[in-house]
Structures are given as structure tokens and as C-alpha cells.
Amino acid sequence: QVQLVESGGGLVQAGGSLSLSCAASGSIFTFNPMGWYRQAPGKLREFLATATGGGITNYADSVKGRFTISRDNAKNTVYLQMNSLKPEDTAVYYCYVQTSRGTTWGQGTQVTVSS
């Protein structure tokens, strides 16, 4: 059974940076995509970025150029470096991994950006 444990997040001023990490335990293969979503209060969960073990990445337009996803296959860990943060980036951030058994989500971590 796959489990994801997130860390990072917190409170930062607008223009600042934060880094999130998400460690997977269980049967994860390099071809299983891992990535990040977020959900702000009253809004739907929003896709942010995904990365394959081969280094292919994809980003939502809203974060392209500001957020960087990376992955350490040896540690089964995916990271999200967030720069130039804006108040509208305030949300709960969730990591995920897609396997043959479906999508597994992390518990979520709060990111709050003050103006």
C-alpha cells in the first residue's frame, strides 16, 4: 500500500519562497507520475505540476516560471519549490502519485501567503 507524507509549508510574506516535499512509501516505480495539487477555500482542487521519474515535467500556467517540481527517485520523494509567492497562492497543497491501483494523495499541508 502506498502512503505519502508531506512536509514544508507554513506562513510567508508575498514575494517569498517555500519548499514542499512529499515522501512515498510502498511500491513506487520511476514511471509512476508524482505531483502536486492545491485547494483554496471554496474552490476546486487545482492541478499545479507533475513529474515522471524520467524527468518529464508539466506545469499549470498559473505557476509556470514561479514553481519548480523535482523528484528524487532514490528517495521516492517529490519536491515543489515555490518562489515569488502571491496571496492567491494561499491554499492546502496536496501531493499525489499515480499507480496501477489509482491515485494516492498526501494529507495536505497549508501554505499561507500574507500581503
Side-chain angles (χ1 to χ4, degrees):
Q1 183 176 356
V2 176
Q3 291 185 322
L4 301 175
V5 178
E6 301 177 20
S7 60
L11 174 65
V12 65
Q13 288 188 333
S17 299
L18 281 175
S19 180
L20 307 180
S21 63
C22 172
S25 61
S27 296
I28 299 293
F29 300 98
T30 56
F31 56 79
N32 294 132
M34 298 183 73
W36 297 89
Y37 276 69
R38 69 185 178 190
Q39 188 165 20
K43 294 188 177 181
L44 297 175
R45 194 167 292 192
E46 174 192 15
F47 166 77
L48 297 178
T50 189
T52 67
I56 299 174
T57 59
N58 189 34
Y59 294 92
D61 288 342
S62 59
V63 302
K64 197 174 295 184
R66 297 189 299 124
F67 291 9
T68 302
I69 189 171
S70 60
R71 180 168 171 170
D72 186 333
N73 294 326
K75 296 181 179 179
N76 284 340
T77 299
V78 64
Y79 305 92
L80 187 68
Q81 176 64 40
M82 305 182 292
N83 298 326
S84 302
L85 284 163
K86 306 173 183 179
E88 51 263 44
D89 293 318
T90 296
V92 178
Y93 284 66
Y94 298 90
C95 67
Y96 73 92
V97 60
Q98 288 180 319
T99 70
S100 60
R101 296 188 176 186
T103 302
T104 299
W105 296 92
Q107 80 279 8
T109 186
Q110 178 70 45
V111 171
T112 302
V113 184
S114 63
S115 57

